[in-house]
Amino acid sequence: MVSRVIPVETFDLVIFGGTGDLARRKILPGLFRRFLSGQMPDGSRIIGAARSDLDRAGYQQMIRDAVAEFGGAEKNDTKGLEAFIEALDYVAIDAKGEGGWAQLAGLVRQDVVQAFYFSVAPSLFGDLAERLHTHKIANAESRIVVEKPFGRDLDTARALNETLASHFDERQIYRIDHYLGKETVQNLMAVRFGNMLFEPLWNNHYVDHIQITVAETVGVGGRGAYYDKSGAMRDMVQNHLMQLLCLIAMEPPSQFGADEVRDEKLKVIRALQPVEPHHIVRGQYDAGPDGPSYREDAENPRSFTESFIAMKCEIANWRWAGVPFYMRTGKRMKARSSEITVVFKDLGHSIFEGDEARHRNILSIRLQPNEGIDLQVTIKEPGPGGMRLIDVPLDMTFADALGPDAEEVPDAYERLIMDVIRGNQTLFMRGDEVEAAWSWTDPLINGWEARNDVPKLYDAGSAGPEDALAMIHRDGRRWREIKA
């Protein structure tokens, strides 16, 4: 199988925050891979813009070093790297002042696709947007890319949307969530809407429950000060897990278009029921042999912020009434694993007796690591001695199914940035979608703050607090094992 590479139009991409961690770790190494693949056409340019007092040569050397540190096998292509480096420029810019803007205006062309990546704090979005128009750099076809967090509650999200809307139309705004750029997440839509096999079963008649797990082995580390003001709910559930839930639960759109897909996702968010307090478990990792406790990492000995959250959600519509969606995410857990699991119901009637009757079909979508999809089916165990049933997976691990081509699959940021250049907003969040997510999230946060709930401690390297196990056990179910 050979991955097709479809070139985009010639573009100027300005990366505000072009010397930052995200730019060096993900954005620039990813664009280098797109350059080597032939997807970035000749004449396209990437312009870093930041406070650092660098010239063009200094910035180019920074990106050489970034590719050497964070790039994959392609970093050894020195000839290709030098050709890519020639497409880079740099402007030292003052986001809140006038410094550098005239120089940037002289670099950005009006006759190519313009994209502006706001890889900076949201507090600077308004200043950047205003100056792009004041200095007549942006035009009616320009695109801006904004990173999360999209506010920290409904009020701030609305204010942020209003700020952006005062300078750019919604069709120009690309709110990026890198989870939506993952190959497996998009395969989820292909599995659902491209196969007759699954769609008739994708409802409360056949599905018992759905689990969404995003587990990380790292702690909050150097992000402690930021994370302590956010927590797992704001940092992960309100955006990443919410997007996965929407893709699993949404109705088939009329076509695979940006607004059609996002309309259906919005309906799911608006159908989410309020979550009862006893269906929410919050936790904090304790100190362990491999590192300090959450409170030590956050430098806040009295912190009530959660590094783990599990909850049981329900969707009030005809398709999903009565089907629980169990979501959990946490830091310093036993393995790094992101997985969506659809657990189908028991057979209505089994011809087998005893334990041989207790088997279920399970569809598992692994987002990371070891990306792939498998379907657990029941077969007879080989050999004589009666009818013994076992469960085996029909496995499509990408590395096995695609062979060497699996290494050529673009990562999330590569794919999403190319979609920006194409003008395709399908995998980006719309403003009303962000606000609807906060409308559901805010009452949950306000509720535990009003109750002064204290997160439960859990051992680093575990599957989370015991209370999370008890929550799902009360329903006669159990979490899937977290494993790499």
Side-chain angles (χ1 to χ4, degrees), residues 80-388:
L81 178 58
E82 289 309 308
F84 173 71
I85 289 296
E86 283 302 308
L88 302 184
D89 214 323
Y90 182 78
V91 176
I93 206 137
D94 182 356
K96 291 182 173 290
E98 296 304 310
W101 287 97
Q103 183 184 354
L104 183 62
L107 287 175
V108 179
R109 297 168 291 180
Q110 296 295 320
D111 59 346
V112 299
V113 174
Q114 293 181 350
F116 302 94
Y117 200 126
F118 290 7
S119 183
V120 296
S123 59
L124 296 176
F125 289 177
D127 296 300
L128 295 176
E130 180 180 354
R131 282 161 178 76
L132 284 172
H133 282 92
T134 299
H135 291 272
K136 296 182 171 56
I137 301 172
N139 58 45
E141 299 303 318
S142 300
R143 294 133 200 190
I144 62 168
V145 184
V146 294
E147 281 277 348
K148 77 177 187 74
F150 310 114
R152 59 172 283 107
D153 54 27
L154 178 58
D155 289 341
T156 55
R158 280 177 174 161
L160 183 58
N161 281 338
E162 288 170 2
T163 296
L164 296 175
S166 65
H167 300 286
F168 294 93
D169 292 338
E170 181 65 34
R171 64 179 176 80
Q172 296 177 278
I173 303 171
Y174 292 71
R175 298 169 187 83
I176 193 168
D177 183 337
H178 70 275
Y179 263 62
L180 293 183
K182 291 181 180 292
E183 188 74 19
T184 329
V185 174
Q186 294 175 72
N187 254 307
L188 172 59
M189 288 190 278
V191 167
R192 277 206 59 192
F193 304 128
N195 294 280
M196 189 62 182
L197 172 65
F198 290 113
E199 184 55 31
L201 309 179
W202 215 263
N203 54 59
N204 54 10
H205 297 295
Y206 297 98
V207 175
D208 179 80
H209 72 280
I210 292 172
Q211 297 184 25
I212 302 174
T213 295
V214 178
E216 300 175 272
T217 55
V218 298
V220 297
R223 300 176 65 223
Y226 157 76
Y227 195 94
D228 204 45
K229 297 176 182 177
S230 174
M233 180 61 120
R234 289 188 174 99
D235 188 56
M236 292 295 293
V237 176
Q238 187 272 339
N239 40 73
H240 297 328
L241 271 70
M242 181 75 74
Q243 290 300 306
L244 299 180
L245 176 89
C246 287
L247 293 179
I248 277 284
M250 72 184 196
E251 294 296 318
S254 60
Q255 59 185 4
F256 191 60
D259 280 331
E260 289 82 0
V261 170
R262 295 186 294 181
D263 285 346
E264 298 303 334
K265 287 162 58 185
L266 180 61
K267 291 176 186 177
V268 173
I269 299 172
R270 289 177 172 168
L272 277 169
Q273 295 284 78
V275 182
E276 298 294 332
H278 63 282
H279 288 156
I280 302 175
V281 176
R282 299 165 63 241
Q284 276 184 358
Y285 59 82
D286 206 353
D290 297 328
S293 68
Y294 170 82
R295 290 184 174 186
E296 290 171 316
D297 276 341
E299 299 181 347
N300 182 358
R302 299 181 59 84
S303 174
F304 286 176
T305 301
E306 74 284 354
S307 64
F308 171 97
I309 189 165
M311 62 177 67
K312 174 185 175 181
C313 307
E314 295 185 349
I315 299 173
N317 63 22
W318 280 56
R319 181 183 290 266
W320 295 116
V323 176
F325 288 72
Y326 298 99
M327 298 196 294
R328 62 176 169 171
T329 183
K331 303 281 190 184
R332 291 289 300 278
M333 300 185 74
K334 65 187 296 185
R336 175 175 174 261
S337 176
S338 297
E339 183 181 70
I340 302 169
T341 304
V342 180
V343 181
F344 291 94
K345 290 185 176 182
D346 289 332
L347 292 169
H349 170 72
S350 177
I351 64 173
F352 307 107
E353 297 180 353
D355 291 341
E356 302 306 325
R358 299 190 181 96
H359 294 268
R360 282 183 168 177
N361 299 123
I362 297 174
L363 179 67
S364 174
I365 301 105
R366 302 185 304 276
L367 308 181
Q368 64 183 20
N370 195 26
E371 295 184 345
I373 299 171
D374 66 60
L375 175 64
Q376 180 177 295
V377 297
T378 303
I379 66 169
K380 177 189 177 295
E381 184 177 8
M387 181 63 72
R388 298 187 305 275

